[in-house]
Amino acid sequence: MTVRYTIPMSFAALRRFSKTALFSVYLLSFFYTLHVALPVYVNSTFLASLVPEKFVGMIYTVSSLLTIVALITIPRLLKAVGDYFTTVFFIAVEIACLIGIALSSEPAVIVTLFTISSVLISLIYFDLDLIVEGYSKDADTGSIRGLYLTSANIAWVIAPALSALLLIGDEYWRVYIVAAALFIPSLFIFALRLEQFKDPLYRTVHFMDGIRKVWKDKDLRQIFYASFLLYFFFTVMTIYTPIYLHEHLGFAWKELGIMFSIMLVPFLLLEAPLGRLADKVLGEKELLVAGFAVIALATAVISFMNVPVFFLFALILFTTRVGAAMVEIMTETYFFKKIRAGDAQVVSLMRALRPAAGAAAPVAATALLYVLPIQYMFVALGALMLIGIPVSLALKDTR
């Protein structure tokens, strides 16, 4: 069922919408994202307390490589078992992993559970992608994807400040046990409200056939490039921004929690209206170009800010995410207008870009740190984001 949305929505319409499957998906997306976002900005410092700091990036790389393998093989599992049962199982195991991380004191066990959790997070997100696509029509893809991302972005904005409140001293276990508790509602929402989801026909496409399909379609190929650049940006910023601001500039975690919440507000404010704008007024290409330009310039500025002024850093980080929000909703909208719900292999390849960037970015950043101080990583990252401009210009607009 596809619901058309108007803003503002009447109370009666809101009540009707609350009974739809899409509302359940949006609610599920909120709890899913809240549990992901709560530890995301403390993960790197937590891991650095267990292993030497130089190996932290390698943990992310290994997790990402395993995620790529899992995303490549999951379409076969979906065809055999179905999205519903697969996702319920993944959610239950993810909750168990987080509880294990919180309760264990053995570094090897924690790192192993962290790796498994990283893989499951991507697989659950992939499953939700297919469900949302199953309820979407091309004419409303931007609106539906925008609201879907907005429900998640509410959680992204809340999580850093909540995480900072939980993080007393070095008691990281508090963050992970609360993340597990917050994900439990997702298990019940999915099990009780989405049982009737009908799986699309998952076309069996060999991995290499999927790559060839993307490579032969110029627009799909270009949007894959754009998405990879965005995920590369997210990976570098997620791992190294907390380390730089906390370890090198001396910001306290309480300050960072508020700063990161402010930083993520653009995802909440912009993605839904930009999705509607792409559907009804503009195409995706113009907004992609503008988004990459904003990311590049704002990120590069960080390298030249060496005085720990809270509001100044909050403003520039906020600006980087204005650009990222523009790129994220446009890549999502464009991609899902180009595929169908049953194209599980193509969707899995798209979602494999995040762990691919997650594997490549720490390796590239580690190599860069051998020749440059950490503060200059941001100007290098900004320069890399400029590649997104010609990539976006090569797209054929959907309008």
Side-chain angles (χ1 to χ4, degrees):
M1 176 181 180
T2 300
V3 179
R4 289 186 176 272
Y5 309 99
T6 59
I7 304 289
M9 182 182 287
S10 70
F11 180 72
L14 184 60
R15 287 188 61 185
R16 290 195 297 272
F17 177 50
S18 68
K19 298 178 182 180
T20 66
L22 268 178
F23 177 81
S24 299
V25 175
Y26 294 155
L27 191 60
L28 176 62
S29 174
F30 171 79
F31 284 109
Y32 161 80
T33 307
L34 189 59
H35 111 277
V36 172
L38 197 65
V40 74
Y41 289 105
V42 304
N43 280 334
S44 57
T45 51
F46 175 50
L47 292 173
S49 71
L50 303 173
V51 301
E53 187 175 295
K54 62 182 178 180
F55 294 129
V56 171
M58 294 303 99
I59 295 173
Y60 281 89
T61 296
V62 171
S63 300
S64 297
L65 291 173
L66 291 174
T67 300
I68 293 170
V69 174
L71 287 169
I72 291 170
T73 57
I74 191 176
R76 296 178 183 177
L77 179 62
L78 291 177
K79 188 174 182 179
V81 181
D83 202 325
Y84 174 80
F85 291 106
T86 300
T87 307
V88 168
F89 174 73
F90 287 163
I91 293 173
V93 177
E94 165 66 356
I95 293 170
C97 284
L98 291 171
I99 294 172
I101 291 171
L103 299 181
S104 179
S105 59
E106 293 294 326
V109 173
I110 293 173
V111 169
T112 300
L113 292 175
F114 174 83
T115 302
I116 296 171
S117 173
S118 298
V119 175
L120 289 171
I121 285 169
S122 293
L123 292 179
I124 294 167
Y125 186 53
F126 168 81
D127 290 347
L128 294 179
D129 263 341
L130 294 181
I131 291 173
V132 174
E133 177 66 6
Y135 290 117
S136 302
K137 291 182 179 179
D138 281 352
D140 293 311
T141 297
S143 301
I144 291 172
R145 285 275 155 188
L147 287 173
Y148 175 59
L149 291 173
T150 298
S151 66
N153 291 333
I154 294 171
W156 276 112
V157 171
I158 295 170
L162 178 58
S163 180
L165 290 175
L166 292 169
L167 192 56
I168 301 172
D170 291 329
E171 296 181 337
Y172 292 99
W173 67 270
R174 295 171 180 265
V175 176
Y176 293 94
I177 200 70
V178 172
L182 289 172
F183 202 30
I184 291 173
S186 293
L187 185 60
F188 290 99
I189 293 168
F190 200 96
L192 300 177
R193 296 290 300 271
L194 294 172
E195 187 177 8
Q196 302 304 315
F197 175 72
K198 295 181 179 180
D199 289 84
L201 176 63
Y202 298 117
R203 290 176 283 279
T204 303
V205 182
H206 190 272
F207 174 64
M208 291 306 299
D209 290 336
I211 291 178
R212 280 191 286 269
K213 174 181 173 65
V214 173
W215 185 257
K216 289 179 180 178
D217 188 320
K218 178 187 174 183
D219 292 327
L220 274 180
R221 188 170 72 245
Q222 296 300 113
I223 209 66
F224 267 58
Y225 292 155
S227 295
F228 180 84
L229 286 169
L230 179 66
Y231 296 145
F232 193 99
F233 167 81
F234 282 148
T235 301
V236 172
M237 295 295 279
T238 299
I239 297 174
Y240 295 102
T241 301
I243 293 175
Y244 177 59
L245 297 182
H246 182 61
E247 300 295 335
H248 295 265
L249 294 185
F251 282 107
W253 275 114
K254 284 187 177 180
E255 293 176 295
L256 290 179
I258 297 171
M259 188 186 299
F260 291 153
S261 286
I262 294 171
M263 174 185 76
L264 297 170
V265 167
F267 293 104
L268 177 60
L269 297 180
L270 296 179
E271 291 196 326
L274 287 176
R276 291 193 299 275
L277 186 65
D279 283 342
K280 309 301 181 185
V281 183
L282 294 174
E284 294 81 14
K285 181 163 65 174
E286 296 86 352
L287 292 171
L288 275 171
V289 171
F292 275 116
V294 172
I295 292 175
L297 294 174
T299 303
V301 168
I302 297 174
S303 291
F304 306 100
M305 298 166 57
N306 52 20
V307 178
V309 180
F310 176 88
F311 291 106
L312 191 58
F313 272 92
L315 176 61
I316 198 64
L317 289 174
F318 177 93
T319 306
T320 65
R321 273 23 179 221
V322 168
M326 296 171 72
V327 173
E328 183 176 59
I329 185 57
M330 291 305 108
T331 54
E332 290 283 298
T333 300
Y334 194 91
F335 174 71
F336 282 98
K337 284 182 178 179
K338 291 291 183 179
I339 60 121
R340 291 172 290 176
D343 290 329
Q345 187 68 68
V346 178
V347 176
S348 72
L349 288 173
M350 182 66 163
R351 290 310 173 219
L353 292 177
R354 184 182 290 272
V363 174
T366 301
L368 188 65
L369 289 175
Y370 275 104
V371 296
L372 290 174
I374 188 172
Q375 75 181 91
Y376 295 114
M377 179 184 299
F378 300 100
V379 73
L381 181 61
L384 181 65
M385 291 302 103
L386 290 174
I387 298 173
I389 294 176
V391 165
S392 302
L393 288 172
L395 290 169
K396 181 180 179 182
D397 238 333
T398 58
R399 289 189 61 81

